[in-house]
Amino acid sequence: RALGPWFSGAQNTHALRRAGLLEGDPADAVVLDQLASASGVPRLADFF
């Protein structure tokens, strides 16, 4: 439930944590946001 919004950049880990969809160390979540470039604007990194 949290992978799609996070991977597309629509939600960052902070928003997913508040919604109860993500658990774990908040410091690790910052790294995940940097990897996914979670800006709040949905995007698609692949082309089909």
Side-chain angles (χ1 to χ4, degrees), residues 4 8-9 15 17 43:
S8 70
R17 184 180 307 281
R43 58 163 178 64

Side-chain angles (χ1 to χ4, degrees), residues 26-48:
D28 292 338
V30 172
V31 175
L32 288 174
D33 282 339
Q34 291 173 347
L35 287 173
S37 300
S39 61
V41 178
R43 58 163 178 64
L44 185 61
D46 289 329
F47 296 100
F48 296 97

Side-chain angles (χ1 to χ4, degrees), residues 1 3 6-7 9-12 16 18 20-25 27 30 33 36 39 43-44 46-48:
R1 295 182 334 190
L3 182 61
W6 173 78
F7 186 72
Q11 295 292 325
N12 62 15
L16 295 172
R18 284 185 301 160
L21 299 174
L22 186 66
E23 298 176 0
D25 186 18
V30 172
D33 282 339
S39 61
R43 58 163 178 64
L44 185 61
D46 289 329
F47 296 100
F48 296 97

